[in-house]
């Protein structure tokens, strides 16, 4: 195939309809028919990337192999497709304007007035086609963040209109995701909001080709017919997306509705029956666990589930792999202390101390690490979680009572976690952390060496502070071993406590690399350790394992 085909996914009526999941599910079905597919997200906000956003604002910040700080939808794309995304897969209005303004400063517009149309729209079009032009993909799905009708979405919709014209209608189609609400007082599903949002899109010159309608109830045939008639689409292009108990059901729901078929037909591409056997065996294991484990997720953004999206999904993959339901107990680190720690953590089969930034809630995290270390509860510390494990060990085992991270206490006398040398001169906050995939050598005989079954791995990072190497020998003598080292810099990437049955702290973020096809080995092993803990401490029958 020579030309790359483009699918645009827009949203109408309301936000949070799950465009990312629909895009990822469609991509899965197309991939399972042999097409090379990628998904891109265009975000209409002014931040250059979500790296500077508080998790309460925008959920987790997802990190790609090449070190882009991106929208959490890219996590869904990777988890569904098992194909890495990159910097090019997430573009914000901030980044678009930044490139255009930099070009203007370089004088590249040759004295012309720089305007939204054509300069901003041209930059959007260039970014959309960048992935297509790489030659790596047959189909590029571009999800446009926000809702049509928003002021900030307008340049994107205009770019879509132009691209459809430039590329031809069977090379670029538009899927519009809308809501069909059920009014319980009237006992009816209502099509009017969809009609209006399709009309809003048309005011910008874009006719939707396919409607995906989010609904709590099945859409009857006459309602589909009505939507087709009023919205100028074919009847089979009205797709229902009914609420699902898990996002992993959505590809099958879309298959049943024939979304992949309509899409391929409209793009003039051949369709076949997608082979999703492996996917379905995962869904089956996910839905039919043989037993369960309870894992505490200790963080300070726990009120918002999206803050730890990739961690929660990695537990779903690891749970399915172990045929176990992983029950997550979210625990707010700010309210943990010596007096309530046993009550809050005593019953858990495993504890994960989450990534994070800043001082709030860290003493609770340290108290939690102490409790799990002393009580032999399986522990996984991720990024800040690993740093807290190092501080706890220094304070309570080495007796360095004032040990701290210089992130929390700039003048700490025992800075066991410290800023990297090259970070000390950095003043900009955006995009300046240690980001993306870095190599790590694993120590033979360690837990991690056994888990990864490899001498060297690559994992994704997002942090400024590091284990302070001057304390390494002291720590190791006392039993906290550095079992993963960066081969070039010697930076400590993993720590373990030999005396403990399963205590692992990692400076990187394993959760970003867990996918349905490749559940992350560290999460799989952690869940298994939790299961063993449960068996040993609660006498649970392990016949099924
Ligand atoms: N705040 C810590 C650092 O910057 C940890 C970051 C994280 O957990 N992602 O090093």
């Amino acid at each position: 195939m020579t030309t790359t085909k483009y699918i645009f996914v827009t949203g109408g009526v309301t936000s949070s309809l799950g465009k990312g999941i629909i895009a990822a599910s469609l991509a899965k079905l197309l991939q399972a028919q042999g097409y090379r597919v990628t998904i891109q997200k265009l975000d209409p906000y002014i931040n250059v990337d979500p790296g500077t956003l508080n998790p309460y604002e925008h959920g987790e910040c997802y990190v790609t192999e090449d070190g882009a700080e991106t929208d959490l939808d890219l996590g869904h794309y990777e988890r569904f497709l098992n194909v890495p995304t990159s910097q090019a897969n997430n573009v914000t209005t901030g980044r678009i304007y930044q490139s255009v303004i930099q070009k203007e400063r370089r004088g590249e517009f040759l004295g012309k007035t720089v305007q939204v149309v054509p300069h901003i729209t041209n930059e959007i079009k260039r970014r959309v086609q960048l992935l297509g032009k790489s030659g790596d993909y047959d189909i590029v799905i571009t999800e446009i963040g926000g809702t049509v009708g928003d002021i900030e979405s307008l340049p994107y919709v205009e770019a879509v209109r132009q691209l459809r014209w430039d590329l031809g209608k069977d090379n670029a189609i538009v899927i519009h995701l809308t809501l069909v609400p059920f009014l319980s007082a009237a006992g009816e599903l209502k099509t009017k909001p969809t009609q209006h949002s399709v009309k809003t899109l048309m005011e910008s010159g874009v006719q939707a080709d396919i409607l995906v309608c989010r609904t709590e109830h099945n859409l009857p045939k006459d309602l589909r017919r009505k939507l087709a008639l009023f919205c100028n689409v074919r009847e089979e292009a009205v797709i229902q997306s009914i609420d699902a108990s898990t996002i992993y059901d959505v590809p099958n729901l879309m298959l049943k509705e024939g979304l992949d078929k309509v899409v391929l037909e409209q793009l003039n591409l051949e369709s076949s029956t997608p082979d999703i056997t492996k996917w379905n065996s995962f869904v089956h294991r996910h839905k039919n666990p043989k037993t369960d484990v309870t894992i505490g997720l200790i963080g300070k953004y726990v009120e918002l589930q999206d803050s730890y999206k990739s961690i929660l999904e990695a537990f779903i993959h690891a749970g399915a792999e172990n045929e176990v339901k992983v029950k997550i107990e979210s625990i707010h680190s700010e309210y943990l202390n010596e007096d309530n720690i046993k009550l809050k953590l005593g019953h858990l089969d495993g504890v994960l101390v989450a990534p994070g930034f800043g001082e709030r809630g860290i003493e609770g995290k340290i108290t939690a690490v102490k409790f799990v270390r002393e009580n032999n509860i399986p522990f996984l510390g991720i990024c800040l979680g690993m740093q807290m494990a190092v501080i706890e060990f220094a304070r309570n085992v080495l007796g360095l009572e004032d040990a701290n991270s210089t992130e929390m206490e700039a003048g700490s006398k025992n800075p066991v976690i410290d800023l990297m040398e090259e970070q000390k001169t950095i003043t900009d906050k955006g995009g300046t952390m240690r980001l993306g995939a870095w190599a790590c050598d694993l120590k033979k005989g360690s837990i991690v060496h056994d888990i990864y079954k490899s001498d060297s791995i690559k994992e994704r990072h997002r942090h400024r502070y590091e284990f302070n190497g001057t304390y390494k020998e002291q720590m190791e003598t006392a039993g906290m071993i550095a079992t993963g080292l960066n081969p070039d810099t010697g930076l400590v990437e993993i720590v373990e406590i030999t005396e403990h049955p399963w205590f692992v702290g990692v400076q990187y973020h394993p959760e970003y690399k867990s996918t349905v096809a490749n559940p992350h080995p560290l999460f799989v092993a952690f869940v298994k350790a939790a299961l063993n803990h449960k068996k040993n401490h609660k006498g649970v029958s392990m016949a099924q394992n």
Side-chain angles (χ1 to χ4, degrees):
M1 194 168 69
T2 48
T3 20
T4 303
K5 305 273 185 173
Y6 293 88
I7 301 169
F8 297 98
V9 181
T10 57
V13 184
T14 169
S15 57
S16 304
L17 290 180
K19 282 196 296 270
I21 300 299
I22 294 294
S25 300
L26 171 62
K28 184 79 229 165
L29 296 176
L30 300 177
Q31 183 192 52
Q33 293 175 52
Y35 291 106
R36 298 170 306 156
V37 193
T38 191
I39 317 176
Q40 177 187 46
K41 172 102 190 262
L42 304 181
D43 274 313
Y45 52 72
I46 315 285
N47 304 65
V48 171
D49 61 44
T52 52
L53 286 169
N54 183 319
Y56 290 129
E57 286 283 314
H58 205 64
E60 163 192 282
C61 172
Y62 185 77
V63 178
T64 59
E65 283 292 289
D66 65 351
E69 295 180 282
T70 73
D71 185 81
L72 58 78
D73 270 343
L74 270 78
H76 291 308
Y77 307 161
E78 289 203 11
R79 288 188 281 274
F80 275 51
L81 297 183
N82 198 36
V83 174
T85 54
S86 70
Q87 188 78 57
N89 292 71
N90 192 194
V91 179
T92 69
T93 294
R95 198 174 287 285
I96 299 278
Y97 271 79
Q98 192 185 44
S99 323
V100 172
I101 292 168
Q102 278 165 356
K103 239 171 150 180
E104 185 273 337
R105 293 288 83 185
R106 290 196 299 268
E108 288 181 27
F109 293 111
L110 307 174
K112 287 274 179 214
T113 309
V114 181
Q115 297 181 296
V116 173
V117 183
H119 302 101
I120 294 298
T121 45
N122 279 351
E123 181 61 17
I124 296 173
K125 285 162 69 179
R126 188 183 74 79
R127 299 258 182 181
V128 167
Q129 288 176 285
L130 217 54
L131 285 165
K133 286 186 176 150
S134 71
D136 295 338
Y137 306 105
D138 305 316
I139 301 170
V140 176
I141 302 180
T142 298
E143 177 194 345
I144 297 175
T147 310
V148 298
D150 292 350
I151 292 176
E152 42 187 31
S153 296
L154 279 174
Y156 293 97
V157 177
E158 168 60 13
V160 171
R161 186 192 69 78
Q162 293 180 22
L163 275 169
R164 299 239 294 169
W165 189 255
D166 298 345
L167 300 167
K169 286 205 172 140
D170 55 0
N171 291 322
I173 61 166
V174 175
I175 299 177
H176 189 56
L177 184 60
T178 78
L179 177 72
V180 176
F182 180 76
L183 291 194
S184 41
E188 269 181 60
L189 286 159
K190 291 299 194 186
T191 64
K192 199 68 85 186
T194 299
Q195 294 180 43
H196 278 291
S197 95
V198 170
K199 201 168 130 193
T200 306
L201 203 51
M202 282 184 84
E203 280 166 11
S204 302
V206 175
Q207 163 70 54
D209 300 297
I210 296 168
L211 299 180
V212 174
C213 307
R214 280 300 304 272
T215 172
E216 289 172 17
H217 300 273
N218 284 313
L219 301 184
K221 212 167 170 35
D222 59 337
L223 186 139
R224 293 178 189 237
R225 209 171 291 140
K226 182 176 172 185
L227 273 172
L229 181 69
F230 282 68
C231 300
N232 214 14
V233 299
R234 284 171 20 212
E235 207 179 309
E236 64 273 23
V238 178
I239 304 288
Q240 102 175 0
S241 168
I242 201 151
D243 289 356
S245 61
T246 154
I247 55 169
Y248 296 105
D249 271 341
V250 181
N252 276 301
L253 291 174
M254 290 302 106
L255 177 65
K256 223 169 106 198
E257 285 286 308
L259 175 62
D260 56 321
K261 243 199 181 124
V262 191
V263 162
L264 290 171
E265 210 177 283
Q266 299 210 6
L267 290 174
N268 235 335
L269 292 174
E270 272 173 38
S271 71
S272 55
T273 310
D275 179 7
I276 49 170
T277 338
K278 274 197 182 144
W279 179 274
N280 286 341
S281 101
F282 155 77
V283 175
H284 180 79
R285 274 178 281 122
H286 170 45
K287 288 184 162 179
N288 297 281
K290 293 182 175 158
T291 178
D292 60 58
V293 290
T294 308
I295 288 179
L297 170 61
I298 303 186
K300 66 170 175 178
Y301 311 111
V302 289
E303 304 89 335
L304 188 77
Q305 289 283 304
D306 273 359
S307 309
Y308 302 113
K309 195 80 208 161
S310 293
I311 291 178
L312 298 176
E313 299 301 320
F315 273 126
I316 290 179
H317 309 153
E321 191 69 12
N322 282 293
E323 297 185 85
V324 167
K325 180 173 176 52
V326 180
K327 293 190 193 158
I328 298 294
E329 237 173 71
S330 295
I331 300 168
H332 206 305
S333 55
E334 231 180 322
Y335 311 125
L336 281 180
N337 52 51
E338 287 286 354
D339 297 334
N340 65 15
I341 199 78
K342 189 160 191 254
L343 184 78
K344 300 261 188 180
L345 306 192
H347 60 291
L348 297 172
D349 306 314
V351 165
L352 186 147
V353 176
F357 293 84
E359 206 181 353
R360 186 169 68 95
I362 67 141
E363 291 304 326
K365 286 186 173 175
I366 294 171
T367 309
V369 177
K370 180 167 183 273
F371 183 81
V372 298
R373 181 178 56 77
E374 291 177 344
N375 291 282
N376 287 334
I377 297 174
F379 165 80
L380 178 59
I382 298 183
C383 210
L384 184 71
M386 175 264 205
Q387 297 175 354
M388 294 304 109
V390 172
I391 295 172
E392 190 278 324
F393 196 82
R395 285 186 189 174
N396 301 321
V397 180
L398 296 187
L400 305 173
E401 276 169 33
D402 53 0
N404 214 335
S405 161
T406 49
E407 179 180 6
M408 321 305 165
E409 189 191 344
S412 170
K413 290 226 174 55
N414 278 302
V416 289
I417 302 294
D418 198 8
L419 206 56
M420 280 174 279
E421 210 44 52
E422 54 274 33
Q423 282 284 338
K424 291 187 177 158
T425 49
I426 290 173
T427 48
D428 273 5
K429 290 271 182 274
T432 55
M433 280 188 257
R434 181 177 172 211
L435 291 166
W438 293 79
C440 171
D441 287 348
L442 305 180
K443 194 181 169 110
K444 291 210 171 64
S446 63
I447 295 187
V448 283
H449 190 268
D450 182 50
I451 290 170
Y452 282 96
K453 309 226 175 308
S454 171
D455 295 339
S456 174
I457 55 164
K458 262 190 156 179
E459 290 282 5
R460 300 183 197 171
H461 291 246
R462 182 174 186 250
H463 56 102
R464 284 183 211 285
Y465 295 82
E466 299 282 351
F467 182 110
N468 182 344
T470 47
Y471 291 89
K472 184 162 162 263
E473 217 182 294
Q474 230 179 318
M475 293 278 200
E476 293 203 320
T477 314
M480 178 175 267
I481 314 291
T483 55
L485 297 179
N486 180 295
D488 305 316
T489 57
L491 284 170
V492 173
E493 314 284 37
I494 309 174
V495 293
E496 291 178 23
I497 296 178
T498 0
E499 288 300 297
H500 191 282
W502 210 96
F503 188 105
V504 179
V506 292
Q507 186 57 80
Y508 51 83
H509 292 261
E511 70 273 22
Y512 293 144
K513 279 179 77 166
S514 188
T515 68
V516 166
N518 271 324
H520 197 287
L522 205 47
F523 276 87
V524 174
F526 179 44
V527 170
K528 194 174 266 163
L531 202 55
N532 283 333
H533 179 85
K534 184 173 177 181
K535 179 182 73 171
N536 296 336
H537 292 79
K538 298 176 186 164
V540 174
S541 154
M542 297 289 288
Q544 60 272 44
N545 287 292

